[in-house]
Amino acid sequence: MIAKLYDRLSDISAKDRQIFYAGLDYEDIFQDTIIKVCQDPKAEEITDDDEFVKYFLYRMKTVQYQIIKDSKRLKITAYADNLQAKESSET
């Protein structure tokens, strides 16, 4: 189903092509979504093209949301190396 609708899915989901999250761009998010949908048993049950496109876009939004959450978490995480470097520069 994805192979048949690849161009359509790419065109429809391309509205956020200029967005980058944690070093990931549109193509990374699109490919992650393809992997998630390929492994999703619910996607296998969908036979209608329009329903599949809707489901794919829904899954893409969930992947994008998870990447945004992960990037925010990484920004606020204090790593020991960073803290040690900060302490060394203060003394």
Side-chain angles (χ1 to χ4, degrees):
M1 184 72 86
I2 289 176
K4 181 172 102 176
L5 298 173
Y6 185 86
D7 290 333
R8 182 176 171 193
L9 293 170
S10 179
D11 291 341
I12 290 172
S13 59
K15 66 178 180 143
D16 294 332
R17 282 189 190 257
Q18 303 303 320
I19 295 178
F20 295 91
Y21 299 109
L24 300 174
D25 64 358
Y26 158 79
E27 287 296 326
D28 296 322
I29 295 170
F30 185 71
Q31 295 301 322
D32 284 351
T33 306
I34 288 175
I35 292 169
K36 297 271 188 208
V37 171
C38 285
Q39 298 171 349
D40 191 345
K42 186 175 178 184
E44 292 177 13
E45 298 171 2
I46 300 172
T47 56
D48 182 47
D49 290 353
D50 293 331
E51 283 297 315
F52 187 82
V53 169
K54 286 180 187 176
Y55 186 74
F56 185 88
L57 293 175
Y58 165 75
R59 292 295 292 180
M60 188 165 184
K61 288 178 185 176
T62 60
V63 168
Q64 191 173 11
Y65 176 79
Q66 188 62 46
I67 290 170
I68 291 169
K69 287 296 188 185
D70 289 346
S71 69
K72 286 181 181 178
R73 183 180 50 81
L74 289 173
K75 287 180 186 177
I76 62 172
T77 302
Y79 293 100
D81 291 340
N82 296 341
L83 293 174
Q84 186 177 7
K86 186 188 284 186
E87 289 174 5
S88 296
S89 65
E90 290 175 357
T91 58

